[in-house]
């Protein structure tokens, strides 16, 4: 039962353009969402998060949008840079219980110079 | 400051052997999580510690898997009688306290290969 889905395993974008990574979830009890970035042979690093009381959160070149009715979130990176090339994981959590993250399967982003 | 560290970084073992994986969380972090990433899969939750107790072990795939945490710090994940399907990257994360709003910091992982 995949509660968090990233349906695009990979994405290629030209440097300077916008990258849009998508994530869908099924559990309406999730109230906190995060994006993590992972380089090879390293652990995931936190990128940006959003609470379910918001529909948008922005941090520099990174913006996360949350559409609760559609159970969908997206990460926008603009402008994309070659150093953004990595695997991006979407994660969801409930702010109760153990606060464990439920991760998607990841999207490999390649930014072409 | 020091991040989450894990050892060993790589472990190759034969089917049927026991393995121990170690995690050193960030000092002062009370919450500790173990996840694993199998090939082509997302990160799968295994177990959560708050201090030395494990209120959520729901992700442990079988009774061959166990974990402990001592002194509210170091944690070890033990896999007994390893099987080939145990091959994965095992990731440890810690956070200041158990809360969604406290970011989980991940270690680099231990890549386990069971031959």
């Amino acid at each position: 039962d995949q509660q968090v889905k990233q349906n695009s395993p990979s994405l290629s974008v030209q440097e300077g353009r916008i990258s849009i990574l998508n994530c869908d979830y099924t559990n309406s009890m999730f109230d906190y969402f995060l994006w993590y970035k992972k380089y090879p042979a390293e652990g995931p690093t936190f990128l940006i998060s959003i609470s379910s009381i918001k529909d948008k959160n922005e941090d520099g070149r990174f913006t996360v949008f949350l559409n609760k009715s559609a159970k969908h979130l997206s990460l926008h990176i603009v402008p994309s840079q070659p150093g953004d090339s990595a695997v991006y994981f979407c994660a969801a959590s409930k702010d109760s219980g153990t606060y464990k993250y439920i991760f998607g399967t990841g999207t490999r982003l390649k930014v072409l110079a | 400051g020091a991040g989450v560290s894990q050892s060993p970084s790589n472990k190759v073992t034969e089917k049927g052997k026991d393995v121990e994986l170690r995690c050193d969380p960030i000092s002062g972090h009370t919450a500790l999580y173990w996840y694993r990433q199998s090939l082509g899969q997302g990160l799968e939750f295994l177990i959560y510690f708050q201090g030395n107790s494990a209120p959520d072990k729901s992700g442990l795939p079988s009774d061959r898997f166990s974990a402990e945490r001592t002194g509210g710090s170091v944690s070890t994940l033990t896999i007994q009688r390893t099987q080939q399907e145990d091959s994965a990257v095992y990731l440890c994360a810690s956070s200041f306290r158990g809360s969604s709003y406290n970011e989980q910091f991940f270690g680099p992982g231990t890549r386990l290969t069971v031959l």
Side-chain angles (χ1 to χ4, degrees):
Chain A
D1 177 23
Q2 192 74 28
Q3 297 187 67
V4 178
K5 299 177 188 178
Q6 293 177 257
N7 292 319
S8 297
S10 64
L11 175 68
S12 289
V13 171
Q14 207 66 35
E15 181 180 6
R17 299 290 188 109
I18 184 170
S19 296
I20 300 176
L21 294 91
N22 293 303
C23 178
D24 296 293
Y25 61 95
T26 58
N27 190 336
S28 58
M29 298 298 290
F30 289 140
D31 53 14
Y32 195 64
F33 304 90
L34 311 95
W35 285 93
Y36 274 77
K37 175 177 173 180
K38 187 179 184 303
Y39 292 117
E42 295 182 11
T45 55
F46 171 77
L47 193 57
I48 193 168
S49 62
I50 187 166
S51 163
S52 60
I53 62 172
K54 293 187 171 183
D55 54 21
K56 176 182 173 182
N57 189 26
E58 195 170 349
D59 184 2
R61 297 185 297 113
F62 303 91
T63 303
V64 56
F65 295 91
L66 176 63
N67 181 335
K68 287 188 291 293
S69 60
K71 296 193 181 69
H72 177 84
L73 66 156
S74 61
L75 174 68
H76 292 209
I77 306 172
V78 56
S80 301
Q81 300 174 352
D84 296 330
S85 297
V87 177
Y88 290 78
F89 290 97
C90 166
S93 179
K94 290 183 274 187
D95 192 28
S96 61
T98 61
Y99 318 106
K100 63 191 178 192
Y101 293 169
I102 307 298
F103 283 89
T105 51
T107 295
R108 182 178 301 277
L109 173 67
K110 188 170 185 179
V111 180
L112 307 168
Chain B
V4 177
S5 61
Q6 293 185 245
S7 60
S9 54
N10 276 287
K11 177 71 178 178
V12 181
T13 190
E14 292 178 350
K15 179 180 168 181
K17 296 283 180 73
D18 298 352
V19 295
E20 264 192 14
L21 312 180
R22 176 187 169 110
C23 172
D24 281 90
I26 292 172
S27 177
H29 280 192
T30 62
L32 186 148
Y33 302 79
W34 283 97
Y35 295 87
R36 76 174 176 181
Q37 185 181 15
S38 304
L39 192 64
Q41 302 297 311
L43 283 76
E44 172 193 5
F45 167 78
L46 297 178
I47 187 169
Y48 158 68
F49 285 93
Q50 181 58 46
N52 290 337
S53 64
D56 189 348
K57 305 177 183 179
S58 62
L60 295 178
S62 77
D63 59 8
R64 298 186 294 104
F65 287 72
S66 63
E68 64 174 15
R69 189 178 185 194
T70 54
S73 180
V74 171
S75 176
T76 53
L77 176 69
T78 302
I79 309 173
Q80 295 179 310
R81 304 180 303 283
T82 52
Q83 304 294 312
Q84 288 183 332
E85 62 262 28
D86 300 334
S87 297
V89 176
Y90 289 81
L91 290 151
C92 174
S94 69
S95 67
F96 180 62
R97 62 175 183 269
S99 164
S100 286
Y101 303 100
N102 290 123
E103 171 195 341
Q104 293 181 22
F105 293 82
F106 282 82
T110 294
R111 181 176 295 278
L112 175 66
T113 303
V114 182
L115 302 176

